[in-house]
Amino acid sequence: MRRSRIRNVTAVTVVVALAIVAGALAAGSSPSKHAVSGNTLTIGVDNGSPTLQRNFNPYSGSKRTGVYYMYEPLEFVNPLNGAYTPFLATGHRFVNPKTLQFTIRRGVKWSDGKSFTAADVVFTFDLLKKNAGLDSTGIWQHVGSVSAKGRTVTFTFKTADVPFAQQVASTLIVPKHIWAGISNPTTDTNPDPVVTGPYLLDSFNPNQYTLKKNPNYWQANKVAASELVFPALTGNQTSQLQLSRGAYDWATLFIPNVRKTWVSNDSAHNAFWFPPGGTITLYLNLTKAPFNSLAFRQGLSYALNRNEIATKAEDGYVQAASQSGLLLPNLKQWLSSSLPSQGDVAYNASKAQAMFAKAGYHKHGSKLIGPNGKQVSFSLTTVSGFTDWLQGAQVIQQQLRQAGINVSLQTPQYAEYFSSLQNGSYDTALGGFGGTGSPYIDLSNLLSSSLTAPVGKPAASNFERWKNQQTDKLLAEFRSTTSKTKQMQDAAGLERIMYQQVPVIALFYGANWGEYSTKSFTGWPSASDPYAPPIPYNEAPLEIVTHLKAAT
């Protein structure tokens, strides 16, 4: 089954990873209401499985997607480029690398008429501290204390941790006067949410729910759509059919031949944008031979034709990835000029064999033979049902066969796949990383030795088990400075490690799937105006619904 969200198995937390990797959205029953005109926006995003549960707890793993249209963070951080947009805070500043302050916006009301204050912010973060099951992004692993004075909320980190400002800023804020009375916030479904955001819950049934515009929203003049409709989605083929028929104004679906099946149905209004949202990667288990050999890893990198893999895996929608570890062009400002060809590694069979030979492996006939006199053989693991990854894995298998390597494919269910990454019981595996908008967060999640598993323990994120003192030094320096110049230098060092030492092999960029119609609303994000990814989930919707304009 194709997926409609980027899979990322090296996200900040396992919960985030599961939400992304397992988020294979698809559509179900026809929406009973569609915005062919007027101020209604019908959105194909919320998975019914098979029907919708009334869960609007913003910290629940099974919450409704509509949460992101009702609750607000302090600031929206654009995952495409890391840019901040103020929401409940008017901005932030670092007093020093351990002390972060936000200025809370005046004049904001909760939807029940109560005033929003700094006390709500402190309460929200204390709520996550007291209920660890809600703290899925690990706020209190980094934060030591939160306090307020007037409109200033101060976060003191346990250690210098400048990039973590992004996670603090992105946390959704709840009202103290409501949540203080909830006896079990971890399990409470919050069926009637009190919010500060642009929309309120209007109606709900197991097949569809609607949100209505919040008339007292602090920037209501920027909200063009008066109603949002969320039909329950239950099957990928059905959702593609519904999209092609115009049942949704906005969706996030992989759809074959999108120009024919979507755009051509209404070429004046139907559009799409699939910007890079993560890097699909070949993980190499560095605790095993031959992957613990740098020369062998370099040989593998040269032996792979990334353009062919990307084209066949994702139907030509995405590009081959830079070995810099950066999501390009999103993070091009961070790209080191010292890397040749922007970090791209071209297929080169002769270079591949030269590097294999340097590592002690030589081709005899059609087989690459190792020091033990046997053909090099290993397994490549991908997830059952991820058909695009399977197609990519099959291309890798064919390409490495040409290099003399015997690759067997393993396709376990997701739980078994993820366990193999955690426990290191794999040879090579397809996975994903990046897409946060921060080169530090992307590369730290991938490379930090603090996320590498001790013997017999599951890895937190560094599934390839990379351990390198220079890498950790650069990450520590990046984390400890507010100087953009110094951060750029540290990022450049990390990019060189990725390019020269090949801890993983970056293959191609996974897309943020976004289809939309301009029939009723204009102002959608695009390649020429990338103010947000074009996705109707996570925090992006807040930025998008306050940019849309009624079509004239």
Side-chain angles (χ1 to χ4, degrees), residues 84-106:
Y84 284 70
T85 300
F87 273 84
L88 291 178
T90 58
H92 70 270
R93 74 181 187 98
F94 273 95
V95 178
N96 56 60
K98 287 182 62 176
T99 308
L100 171 66
Q101 292 184 335
F102 287 85
T103 301
I104 302 307
R105 187 177 299 278
R106 297 182 187 273

Side-chain angles (χ1 to χ4, degrees), residues 27-39:
S29 56
S30 300
S32 61
K33 192 170 186 178
H34 172 54
V36 294
S37 62
N39 292 324

Side-chain angles (χ1 to χ4, degrees), residues 58-255:
Y59 313 117
S60 168
S62 56
K63 61 183 172 289
R64 299 271 59 83
T65 306
V67 159
Y68 294 109
Y69 298 73
M70 296 189 286
Y71 287 97
E72 295 179 290
L74 297 174
E75 298 187 70
F76 164 70
V77 184
N78 186 349
L80 296 179
N81 55 24
Y84 284 70
T85 300
F87 273 84
L88 291 178
T90 58
H92 70 270
R93 74 181 187 98
F94 273 95
V95 178
N96 56 60
K98 287 182 62 176
T99 308
L100 171 66
Q101 292 184 335
F102 287 85
T103 301
I104 302 307
R105 187 177 299 278
R106 297 182 187 273
V108 176
K109 298 282 188 181
W110 292 101
S111 53
D112 62 359
K114 302 287 187 181
S115 294
F116 162 75
T117 70
D120 293 305
V121 178
V122 175
F123 171 82
T124 293
F125 285 91
D126 284 344
L127 180 74
L128 301 181
K129 183 178 183 179
K130 294 173 183 175
N131 300 272
L134 301 179
D135 189 13
S136 62
T137 57
I139 293 291
W140 288 96
Q141 295 175 28
H142 300 257
V143 172
S145 65
V146 182
S147 61
K149 184 177 182 180
R151 292 193 301 121
T152 300
V153 176
T154 300
F155 295 82
T156 302
F157 295 145
K158 294 178 180 178
T159 61
D161 209 348
V162 172
F164 199 71
Q166 178 169 320
Q167 197 59 61
V168 174
S170 300
T171 300
L172 299 179
I173 306 300
V174 297
K176 177 180 179 179
H177 66 281
I178 298 295
W179 283 73
I182 296 177
S183 59
N184 192 341
T186 303
T187 59
D188 193 276
T189 59
N190 189 33
D192 299 298
V194 173
V195 301
T196 60
Y199 291 97
L200 312 174
L201 181 62
D202 187 24
S203 65
F204 187 95
N205 68 61
N207 298 309
Q208 177 175 289
Y209 63 96
T210 64
L211 306 183
K212 62 183 179 180
K213 182 176 176 178
N214 180 357
N216 297 317
Y217 182 45
W218 61 273
Q219 51 178 349
N221 62 318
K222 292 184 178 181
V223 181
S226 60
E227 182 182 52
L228 308 180
V229 179
F230 294 84
L233 310 184
T234 57
N236 212 39
Q237 291 182 343
T238 306
S239 74
Q240 292 173 355
L241 181 61
Q242 294 287 4
L243 177 64
S244 67
R245 291 176 174 174
Y248 309 124
D249 301 303
W250 185 13
T252 178
L253 300 167
F254 174 91
I255 184 167

Side-chain angles (χ1 to χ4, degrees), residues 24 52 66 125 143 170 179 203 206 282 349 368 418 430 501 540:
L52 300 166
F125 285 91
V143 172
S170 300
W179 283 73
S203 65
L282 182 63
L368 185 68
F418 192 71
L430 289 185
Q501 300 189 41

Side-chain angles (χ1 to χ4, degrees), residues 458-479:
S461 184
N462 178 354
F463 300 124
E464 74 279 10
R465 287 142 172 90
W466 175 253
K467 293 184 178 181
N468 179 271
Q469 289 184 348
Q470 180 61 16
T471 301
D472 290 340
K473 179 175 181 292
L474 289 166
L475 289 171
E477 291 175 353
F478 197 132
R479 187 169 58 246

